[in-house]
Amino acid sequence: MRIFHLSAECYPVAKVGGLADVVGALPKYQNQAGLQAAVVMPFYNRKFVHESQFDIVFQGTSLLGTRRIYFEILKEQSDKLGFELYLIKIPGLLDRENVYSYPDERDQFLAFQLCFLDWINWSGQKPDIVHCHDHHSGLIPFMMYHSALYTSLAHIPTVFTIHNGQYHGAFGWDRLELLPEVDFYKTGLLEWAGGINPLASAVKCCWKYTTVSPSYLYELTKSSNGLEYLFYIEGQKGVGILNGIDTEVWNPATDPMLPSHYNATTVTKGKAANKAALCQRFEIDKAKPLVAFIGRLVDEKGSDLLPAAIERSIEEHGDTVNFLVLGTGDAETEEGLKQLKETYPAQCAIFIGYDESLAHLVYAGSDFLLMPSRVEPCGLNQMYAMRYGTLPMVRSTGGLRDTVIDFGDEGGYGIRFDQVSVDDICSSINRAIDLYKDSRKLQTLRKRMMALDFSWGRSAKEYTDLYQSLIS
C-alpha cells in the first residue's frame, strides 16, 4: 500500500509545531509495518536541505490562475528519515527560509497543492492513499474529485488529519480564479461563512477525516473557530486516533542530547544527574522540586497565566520550589516572565526562544511538566515527559485527557485539573510539592509512566486499518 503524506512541516526538515513531529514519525513507523509511505512538502531553504543530497525526479509547470509557474520535485537520496522525502520547489515562491508568515502565504500553499497534483497526474505516481495534513493541503480532496484536470485521480481515497481546528486557511471568492478548472456546481464544497475555507472543504470532500485524539474529535463540535456545526453534521466520517511519539528519538536510554542516560530501572539516579546539569546551567537549587513549561507562549497553551501562577506559588511556598520556562511567543507574557526572573532569580529559570537540545534536558531533568492548555488537540509534550519519567500536570482537555490519568485515581500517574485558571494551576503545584516530599511514591509513579506505550507503532496500526477500510 503506497501512501503520500502532504504537509507544510516535517521534522527535522522544517518544524514550527507538533505537526512536524507527527509527519516526521508516522510514515517511518508505517514503513516499518510494511507499508510504502512517503512525505511531500514544500522546499524550504534550511539547514536540512543544505546538509542533504537530492535528485531532481520531475520538472514541470502549473497554472496558478493565469500565472505559469515552473516547479521541480526533489527527492532526498538516502531515505535517511526512514521514508521517501519529496520537496516541491518553485523559484520565487517555494524556495524561502520560513514556513509561514509571508504575505503571499495563500498562494504558496495553493501552488504547493497544484504542483503535487500535476506531478502525480503526469508522472504516473498513483498512490493508494493521499493523506493530507491541516489546511495547507486541504484543497487537494476537492480538486482531485471535482476538477476536470484530475479525473484520473478521482478514484484515489483521501484521508485528512486535523492537527488544529482553529486554523482554516480561509480566503475570499476573488481567489477562486487561482484554482484549476472545477465543476461550478460543486463550488459549495469549498464554502464556509461566505468564503473559501480549505479546512472545511477537506472535511466535506475527503473519504475520512481524523483528529489527533479521540477527545478532540468531540471537542471540535464545541470549539473549532466557527466550524462546530460542520463537524457535527460530518461526524460519521470522523475518527479519533491518538498521536504517538518517536520512541527512537525520545529515549532517555540513548538520547545523545542528555549528559546522563537512564531507563525505568535507573530513573532515580539518571534523573538526578540530568537535573543537576540543568540546575547548574540556570543556577538554581537542584534539591527543590522543579516545575517546567515547554511550548509556545500563546493563549491556546494557557501561558498567559504563568507569570501570575508562578508568582503566587512562590509567595505561598517561599523558596521551596523552582520553575523553568522554555518558550517564545506573546510579548506581554515574555516580559512578565523576565520580570519574574529579576524578582526571583534563584527560583525562576527563563529561556525565551527554543532550543531542541535544551528541551530534551528539561524533560529529563525536571520533576514536573505543566501544561495548562485551553486547547490541546493531542499534545506531545506530556508524552515526552512521561517517557523521561517527568510527571505531567495537565488541564483536562483533548489529548491531555486521553493520555494522563490523575495519580489520585486507580492506576494514575499524573496531575489533572479542570479549569484554565491561576487557582487551578496553583492547586496543582501544591499537589506536586506534596508529592515531591513522598519520594517513594514519586519513584513508583515515574516507573509506572515510563512503562506506558505511546509509540507510533500503536497509532500506525490504527491508520493502516483505516486505510484498508477505504481500499478494500
Side-chain angles (χ1 to χ4, degrees):
M1 189 189 307
R2 185 158 174 76
I3 304 101
F4 276 138
H5 290 272
L6 277 291
S7 175
E9 302 178 36
C10 174
Y11 177 81
V13 187
K15 175 180 175 177
V16 176
L19 170 63
D21 291 318
V22 173
V23 178
L26 174 57
K28 178 172 69 173
Y29 283 84
Q30 289 178 328
N31 286 341
Q32 291 175 2
L35 304 184
Q36 291 179 280
V39 170
V40 185
M41 64 183 298
F43 177 99
Y44 301 110
N45 187 22
R46 289 188 162 216
K47 180 181 179 182
F48 180 90
V49 171
H50 299 309
E51 294 179 347
S52 305
Q53 297 297 316
F54 290 85
D55 294 320
I56 298 175
V57 296
F58 189 84
Q59 295 172 298
T61 63
S62 288
L63 277 176
L64 184 62
T66 58
R67 176 184 173 188
R68 177 70 64 178
I69 55 174
Y70 167 81
F71 69 92
E72 297 176 343
I73 306 294
L74 284 66
K75 181 185 181 298
E76 194 271 316
Q77 289 182 353
S78 65
D79 297 343
K80 62 184 178 182
L81 299 183
F83 50 81
E84 294 180 357
L85 173 68
Y86 296 93
L87 306 182
I88 298 181
K89 184 176 184 179
I90 305 173
L93 201 59
L94 293 181
D95 58 357
R96 305 168 185 173
E97 181 178 357
N98 295 326
V99 179
Y100 307 121
S101 300
Y102 291 103
D104 58 353
E105 181 177 301
R106 298 288 185 268
D107 290 357
Q108 287 182 294
F109 289 120
L110 180 53
F112 164 62
Q113 296 171 82
L114 289 170
C115 292
F116 166 73
L117 292 176
D118 286 336
W119 167 46
I120 64 171
N121 194 35
W122 296 336
S123 68
Q125 294 269 352
K126 300 296 172 60
D128 296 296
I129 298 285
V130 171
H131 191 151
C132 303
H133 296 263
D134 272 351
H135 70 82
H136 320 99
S137 56
L139 294 176
I140 282 179
F142 174 83
M143 291 190 288
M144 284 176 61
Y145 305 139
H146 303 296
S147 171
L149 290 179
Y150 307 120
T151 54
S152 67
L153 307 177
H155 67 286
I156 300 175
T158 52
V159 173
F160 180 66
T161 295
I162 302 160
H163 298 261
N164 192 330
Q166 299 297 312
Y167 302 102
H168 304 169
F171 51 89
W173 284 106
D174 58 315
R175 305 181 79 78
L176 179 63
E177 63 184 19
L178 299 181
L179 296 181
E181 180 183 350
V182 298
D183 184 345
F184 178 79
Y185 294 102
K186 299 293 186 180
T187 53
L189 293 170
L190 295 169
E191 192 272 341
W192 196 264
I196 296 174
N197 189 309
L199 190 140
S201 177
V203 171
K204 294 177 186 180
C205 297
C206 70
W207 289 28
K208 285 286 187 179
Y209 70 86
T210 71
T211 59
V212 292
S213 70
S215 288
Y216 194 54
L217 181 67
Y218 168 75
E219 289 178 4
L220 285 173
T221 66
K222 304 298 181 182
S223 178
S224 50
N225 199 14
L227 296 184
E228 293 81 8
Y229 183 64
L230 174 65
F231 285 111
Y232 173 75
I233 61 177
E234 294 284 1
Q236 76 283 353
K237 290 171 60 176
V239 180
I241 299 178
L242 187 69
N243 280 344
I245 61 174
D246 190 334
T247 52
E248 295 176 9
V249 173
W250 297 94
N251 184 356
T254 59
D255 191 335
M257 301 181 192
L258 300 185
S260 181
H261 294 145
Y262 60 97
N263 55 32
T265 302
T266 59
V267 59
T268 302
K269 182 178 179 180
K271 283 192 69 67
N274 285 288
K275 184 178 182 181
L278 182 62
C279 291
Q280 181 179 15
R281 174 168 176 173
F282 288 99
E283 298 181 342
I284 55 178
D285 187 353
K286 66 180 181 181
K288 300 172 186 175
L290 178 57
V291 179
F293 173 95
I294 301 175
R296 291 177 294 124
L297 302 178
V298 295
D299 286 352
E300 279 185 17
K301 302 297 183 182
S303 61
D304 54 305
L305 302 180
L306 288 177
I310 292 173
E311 184 170 34
R312 183 193 292 186
S313 292
I314 292 176
E315 289 176 350
E316 290 179 354
H317 297 283
D319 64 352
T320 62
V321 60
N322 292 335
F323 296 90
L324 188 155
V325 176
L326 167 59
T328 184
D330 178 70
E332 185 175 345
T333 302
E334 289 183 2
E335 185 58 33
L337 292 169
K338 291 176 183 176
Q339 290 178 6
L340 273 179
K341 173 64 177 174
E342 292 180 4
T343 306
Y344 306 102
Q347 291 178 260
C348 293
I350 308 298
F351 186 99
I352 302 300
Y354 186 75
D355 183 306
E356 186 75 15
S357 295
L358 176 58
H360 283 241
L361 181 58
V362 173
Y363 286 120
S366 299
D367 299 299
F368 305 93
L369 183 79
L370 176 62
M371 298 181 69
S373 303
R374 290 184 172 86
V375 178
E376 199 64 69
C378 176
L380 297 176
N381 289 10
Q382 81 278 13
M383 299 186 207
Y384 298 149
M386 290 186 280
R387 177 78 166 152
Y388 284 63
T390 296
L391 193 135
M393 305 164 57
V394 305
R395 189 218 163 197
S396 295
T397 186
L400 301 180
R401 179 190 290 116
D402 292 334
T403 55
V404 178
I405 301 173
D406 191 274
F407 77 85
D409 298 330
E410 184 177 355
Y413 41 80
I415 294 175
R416 280 182 25 180
F417 54 96
D418 294 327
Q419 304 299 322
V420 185
S421 67
V422 171
D423 286 344
D424 270 28
I425 293 172
C426 288
S427 176
S428 295
I429 293 172
N430 293 344
R431 294 182 68 199
I433 293 173
D434 289 341
L435 178 60
Y436 186 81
K437 297 173 183 176
D438 188 345
S439 59
R440 179 174 296 181
K441 185 171 186 177
L442 181 59
Q443 299 315 313
T444 298
L445 297 181
R446 283 175 171 169
K447 292 180 179 181
R448 181 179 297 169
M449 72 180 76
M450 290 184 74
L452 299 172
D453 179 15
F454 291 116
S455 70
W456 267 113
R458 167 190 48 79
S459 303
K461 184 181 184 305
E462 293 187 54
Y463 276 109
T464 299
D465 292 341
L466 176 63
Y467 297 156
Q468 196 64 53
S469 72
L470 299 179
I471 63 177
S472 58

